[in-house]
Amino acid sequence: MLQEESDLSLIIAQIVQKLKGSNLYSQLERQAWASLQRPEIKLESLKEDIKEFFKISGWEKKLQNAVYSELSVFPLPSHPAAPPEHLKEPLVYMRKAQGSWEKRILKSLNSMCTELSIPLARKRPVGEQKELLNKWNEMGTDEPDLSLFRPVYAPKDFLEVLINLRNPNYENGDSLSFRTHLGLIQIPLKVKDIPELKECFVELGLNTGQLGIDDSTQVPPELFENEHVRIGQKVLAEQDSAAAQQYIRQGSPTALRAELWALILNISSEPEDVLYYEQLKTNVIQHDLLVDSLIYKDVKLTASNDDYYFVFEDYLYQVLLCFSRDTSVLSHFAYNSASPPKSYIRGKLGLEEYAVFYPPNGVIPFHGFSMYVAPLCFLYHEPSKLYQIFREMYVRFFFRLHSISSHPSGIVSLCLLFETLLQTYLPQLFYHLREIGAQPLRISFKWMVRAFSGYLATDQLLLLWDRILGYNSLEILAVLAAAVFAFRAVNLMEVTSLAAAEAVLADLSTLKVMPLLQIFLFATVT
Amino acid sequence: MSRILVPCHVKGTVALQVGDVRTSQGRPGVLVIDVTFPSVAPFELQEITFKNYYTAFLSIRVRQHTSAHTTAKWLTCLRDYCLMPDPHSEEGAQEYVSLFKHQSPSMTFPKWLSHPVPCEQPALLCESLPDPSRVSSEVQQMWALTEMIRASHTSARIGRFDVDGCYDLNLLSYT
């Protein structure tokens, strides 16, 4: 068997195995059994007739969407000799750096635990359970004393770790070279340049219609918008994930966005999904976690203070508290360089049968984490659907923004892409900002870690996240960051301090993202 | 056809450079690894597997031992096979690599390394899609591989995070 053929068979075998455990599999089985009653299913051509039936009834499409979803999320199987760590992160020094960073976080959480004498987890007494159940829909009205809690880390702490990342096999030499020392990131990852980005984001080009540009009030809707909406409705009627992903590269009409995102993420709200969410809610009621207080604090500090998102405060608790209890999130650690923190039942230290993950989903939230959920509240109002969408967005995209890896959509690559774009295409600006002690990444890092949530106006943010889904990549965040600097270059050239530079870039709420991206990629003379 | 690991002895790397190692400033760009096979019986080499560590290009040369009165000949099996598309960046730097006997036209093992086996010539996989029924039968063969992969994933969760209803924890563990 040739290498390519065996690779394909391996991928198929893996996907089949994954789907075998899914809801869809049992539904397909039931449908196949039920179809035997139908007159057009003949025994002599059973296999072909059932396949035809699946095609006509739309079940084949559902299967296609599930396969497409698996292909989008899971990396291709690596070499048979490669251990599981290699799939999480191929570079050994990055794995080590992630391990050290995790250890720091665990130490921080442990010391918070011992200092405040609060257990990591405790079972709630029945009275407290009843109380929480009663105020489940208005947890925002609670004002617990969170003054002693501090976020486990903030984006700027994480940036310091990334700045200090070094490849032990990479020698910069003693002399200053162009690549080294100018930017903050010193890791030689491969990043795209503008010609490659133009090829990659070809649908954002000047000759292609875009929502965010060609739907503005001055442009007559017959030119682009009407047709685009019509195509969007057709895509939804077909229920085809791959087509939806291609379509959304030009942006999603507001009315269709919720359904389109659900289709791309392959989220369908079956009764089982609602039940699963209710089970998570029960887990929240029964057990109180230290992590809950971190979530409360984060929501109060960030989303509650935001003009756009404070109305959704209660939703945020309902999503994030359940998220922490969701063990199905653990499966994403197979391709995440991070690993879930481990703990032992009290008194059973070291006994493997009493080892558990903490929190149950293995994700410790940091300062600003709730901002990943907030924009989704504009699209989804039913808690279990909102929850499913957020969970899928997290295990596909957001986890890459706060773990150390060499993945092209990982935060390290995004930082390097941003710095390289700026250095290459705006060298004067880059040099000037460096000279005044305002390294550009120090300003743009927080935008990228939060995927611009809380910095852009919501309609603009949703147009940006449309493209993240459409291209299945976070690179657009780095491109937008560079485009913002390019847009404000004239003002930035005049500042003489880091504080002044930050002031120029403090308010992004008036920016229109699509024109910025289009100009930076396609209309700048290089 | 079952495959077995061939015992081999991998010697340490030797730098290829002109001049005295101690006095020259530059770092050699070419390193040589000698691999010898202690077993005397001839074998059909199918696959070479290794983990790369920042090697950009690989060449493989084979030396044949014949009878005592003819000098041994060096044959090049693979020349400048690219492992890292951009040697200045991390792509491919720490990847696991397998080189197969029939992978590329330049990869030919000399006759003495392979006895003629009556097998069909593998067709080159071009743009056409593979035959579905053939692929599905090959899926059966791949099952053992996926079992291995599944075993290496995080252990199956049944949705519960506690141990017998108890989630009373001590502190987080650092191991």
Side-chain angles (χ1 to χ4, degrees):
Chain A
M1 189 177 359
L2 269 194
Q3 183 62 17
E4 297 92 332
E5 284 184 354
S6 73
D7 278 348
L8 184 63
S9 302
L10 184 55
I11 294 170
I12 294 174
Q14 271 201 321
I15 293 181
V16 165
Q17 190 190 33
K18 284 226 179 63
L19 292 179
K20 256 195 152 163
S22 72
N23 224 3
L24 180 65
Y25 182 81
S26 24
Q27 282 176 321
L28 282 171
E29 241 187 347
R30 276 202 297 274
Q31 287 294 320
W33 277 111
S35 75
L36 293 177
Q37 313 281 342
R38 303 174 77 89
E40 63 267 21
I41 310 287
K42 308 237 182 332
L43 195 59
E44 52 274 16
S45 51
L46 190 63
K47 195 167 160 184
E48 293 309 316
D49 288 347
I50 292 186
K51 281 209 300 205
E52 188 60 33
F53 165 67
F54 276 163
K55 202 182 280 194
I56 301 172
S57 57
W59 282 100
E60 187 192 60
K61 188 58 37 106
K62 288 201 170 83
L63 179 60
Q64 266 179 349
N65 289 347
V67 171
Y68 191 69
S69 184
E70 291 294 323
L71 284 173
S72 301
V73 176
F74 282 86
L76 296 174
S78 48
H79 194 276
E85 309 89 74
H86 191 81
L87 197 66
K88 286 162 76 76
E89 170 51 52
L91 301 179
V92 174
Y93 71 88
M94 286 246 179
R95 287 207 296 265
K96 286 208 173 104
Q98 172 66 25
S100 309
W101 169 238
E102 275 169 20
K103 212 165 170 173
R104 267 176 64 181
I105 297 176
L106 298 188
K107 281 197 171 135
S108 174
L109 204 55
N110 274 348
S111 57
M112 201 190 300
C113 223
T114 36
E115 273 167 41
L116 304 180
S117 299
I118 294 177
L120 284 176
R122 71 177 175 101
K123 191 137 185 168
R124 281 189 229 268
V126 177
E128 196 184 316
Q129 288 188 31
K130 280 212 181 88
E131 209 188 306
L132 184 56
L133 191 56
N134 285 338
K135 54 172 191 10
W136 178 258
N137 289 321
E138 24 166 72
M139 282 185 275
T141 53
D142 223 6
E143 295 284 345
D145 181 15
L146 300 168
S147 53
L148 295 171
F149 289 98
R150 48 178 198 280
V152 183
Y153 65 97
K156 60 175 165 34
D157 305 314
F158 188 48
L159 178 59
E160 289 306 317
V161 175
L162 299 186
I163 291 171
N164 289 314
L165 272 178
R166 292 290 181 276
N167 176 351
N169 199 55
Y170 186 66
E171 195 176 276
N172 290 347
D174 294 327
S175 55
L176 274 174
S177 79
F178 178 74
R179 264 193 78 78
T180 64
H181 303 277
L182 275 191
L184 292 175
I185 304 293
Q186 302 289 326
I187 304 294
L189 292 171
K190 182 103 178 74
V191 292
K192 297 185 171 83
D193 55 15
I194 287 197
E196 285 166 324
L197 289 167
K198 273 161 100 151
E199 227 179 274
C200 180
F201 295 115
V202 66
E203 292 86 353
L204 301 184
L206 296 165
N207 292 329
T208 315
Q210 298 296 328
L211 288 184
I213 298 174
D214 301 289
D215 56 334
S216 68
T217 42
Q218 301 98 319
V219 180
E222 306 85 61
L223 280 182
F224 167 71
E225 200 182 344
N226 288 349
E227 181 63 12
H228 191 65
V229 173
R230 200 188 62 78
I231 297 175
Q233 286 160 340
K234 189 150 183 277
V235 167
L236 281 173
E238 292 290 308
Q239 283 291 295
D240 186 329
S241 290
Q245 192 168 318
Q246 178 65 36
Y247 169 79
I248 212 173
R249 291 177 180 188
Q250 293 169 265
S252 167
T254 315
L256 306 179
R257 184 174 276 126
E259 282 185 72
L260 275 170
W261 283 23
L263 178 56
I264 294 169
L265 297 169
N266 205 32
I267 304 281
S268 56
S269 269
E270 305 288 331
E272 296 86 16
D273 302 311
V274 179
L275 265 173
Y276 189 79
Y277 176 75
E278 291 297 319
Q279 179 61 48
L280 292 176
K281 182 174 156 185
T282 313
N283 291 342
V284 177
I285 305 284
Q286 283 177 348
H287 291 274
D288 179 29
L289 304 180
L290 177 63
V291 164
D292 293 348
S293 304
L294 297 177
I295 291 171
Y296 270 109
K297 181 124 191 170
D298 185 48
V299 173
K300 293 281 184 205
L301 283 177
T302 56
S304 301
N305 285 331
D306 191 302
D307 291 338
Y308 294 112
Y309 302 123
F310 72 93
V311 288
F312 300 124
E313 192 183 337
D314 298 322
Y315 279 116
L316 296 177
Y317 297 124
Q318 291 174 21
V319 166
L320 288 167
L321 294 178
C322 289
F323 182 62
S324 295
R325 274 89 174 154
D326 193 347
T327 52
S328 72
V329 174
L330 292 172
S331 59
H332 94 285
F333 286 107
Y335 52 87
N336 182 355
S337 61
S339 298
K342 210 165 129 181
S343 181
Y344 293 90
I345 300 290
R346 201 180 290 275
K348 310 281 186 196
L349 187 64
L351 297 172
E352 279 319 300
E353 55 273 26
Y354 292 95
V356 291
F357 292 122
Y358 181 86
N361 73 345
V363 180
I364 296 185
F366 56 92
H367 178 64
F369 193 84
S370 55
M371 295 306 282
Y372 290 142
V373 189
L376 303 173
C377 298
F378 276 103
L379 300 174
Y380 305 98
H381 307 296
E382 206 269 295
S384 74
K385 187 103 187 242
L386 173 63
Y387 176 75
Q388 279 185 282
I389 297 277
F390 165 66
R391 181 181 58 186
E392 191 62 26
M393 290 287 282
Y394 183 81
V395 300
R396 276 200 202 203
F397 303 114
F398 297 145
F399 76 91
R400 298 200 191 276
L401 297 172
H402 64 95
S403 50
I404 303 174
S405 88
S406 58
H407 194 273
S409 273
I411 188 70
V412 187
S413 298
L414 297 184
C415 289
L416 187 59
L417 175 58
F418 164 75
E419 287 191 315
T420 311
L421 285 175
L422 222 55
Q423 274 179 253
T424 314
Y425 300 103
L426 295 154
Q428 263 190 317
L429 176 64
F430 195 95
Y431 186 77
H432 170 72
L433 288 172
R434 242 190 101 247
E435 288 297 289
I436 61 168
Q439 276 277 8
L441 185 60
R442 289 202 187 277
I443 302 174
S444 66
F445 186 71
K446 54 187 182 292
W447 303 338
M448 293 191 284
V449 164
R450 283 212 203 153
F452 282 88
S453 175
Y455 297 104
L456 297 172
T458 355
D459 63 319
Q460 296 302 308
L461 184 76
L462 293 173
L463 286 168
L464 179 67
W465 286 16
D466 281 343
R467 272 71 181 192
I468 293 179
L469 284 165
Y471 292 100
N472 200 28
S473 152
L474 293 164
E475 286 160 306
I476 198 121
L477 297 177
V479 181
L480 180 60
V484 170
F485 272 72
F487 184 60
R488 301 232 167 124
V490 172
N491 293 11
L492 286 168
M493 284 302 289
E494 287 170 13
V495 299
T496 52
S497 70
L498 172 61
E502 284 189 334
V504 168
L505 294 163
D507 184 8
L508 307 186
S509 60
T510 52
L511 293 182
K512 301 274 178 262
V513 305
M514 297 320 299
L516 281 185
L517 285 167
Q518 213 178 50
I519 292 171
F520 186 75
L521 285 175
F522 295 95
T524 307
V525 175
T526 52
Chain B
M1 190 166 59
S2 64
R3 302 181 336 162
I4 48 170
L5 285 175
V6 178
C8 61
H9 176 58
V10 179
K11 294 191 187 158
T13 56
V14 174
L16 282 189
Q17 62 180 112
V18 178
D20 191 356
V21 178
R22 278 185 295 272
T23 54
S24 62
Q25 296 284 334
R27 289 271 191 82
V30 182
L31 298 172
V32 177
I33 301 174
D34 275 318
V35 179
T36 54
F37 300 98
S39 68
V40 183
F43 55 88
E44 189 181 338
L45 188 61
Q46 298 285 346
E47 182 184 341
I48 300 175
T49 303
F50 59 92
K51 182 176 194 283
N52 190 17
Y53 192 75
Y54 296 98
T55 296
F57 300 98
L58 181 69
S59 299
I60 300 180
R61 306 190 80 208
V62 183
R63 187 169 75 166
Q64 167 187 355
H65 278 299
T66 52
S67 43
H69 39 266
T70 42
T71 50
K73 267 178 64 183
W74 280 103
L75 293 156
T76 303
C77 299
L78 197 63
R79 185 190 289 287
D80 288 341
Y81 179 74
C82 180
L83 295 172
M84 287 172 66
D86 175 8
H88 295 293
S89 79
E90 298 277 5
E91 253 185 293
Q94 297 191 23
E95 284 304 320
Y96 288 83
V97 183
S98 271
L99 299 168
F100 293 92
K101 197 173 94 175
H102 40 248
Q103 188 170 313
S104 75
S106 58
M107 178 83 158
T108 50
F109 287 105
K111 269 215 169 55
W112 63 269
L113 263 185
S114 60
H115 19 268
V117 171
C119 64
E120 68 221 60
Q121 289 300 314
L124 281 171
L125 193 67
C126 300
E127 292 84 61
S128 59
L129 292 169
D131 172 37
S133 37
R134 182 170 164 217
V135 170
S136 68
S137 63
E138 280 162 7
V139 164
Q140 308 297 321
Q141 296 170 38
M142 279 293 154
W143 214 252
L145 212 49
T146 57
E147 285 300 301
M148 187 187 89
I149 291 165
R150 185 173 60 143
S152 64
H153 276 180
T154 48
S155 53
R157 295 151 306 284
I158 40 173
R160 302 202 59 94
F161 54 82
D162 52 324
V163 178
D164 298 329
C166 176
Y167 197 60
D168 195 21
L169 304 178
N170 214 356
L171 289 176
L172 295 172
S173 161
Y174 297 135
T175 47

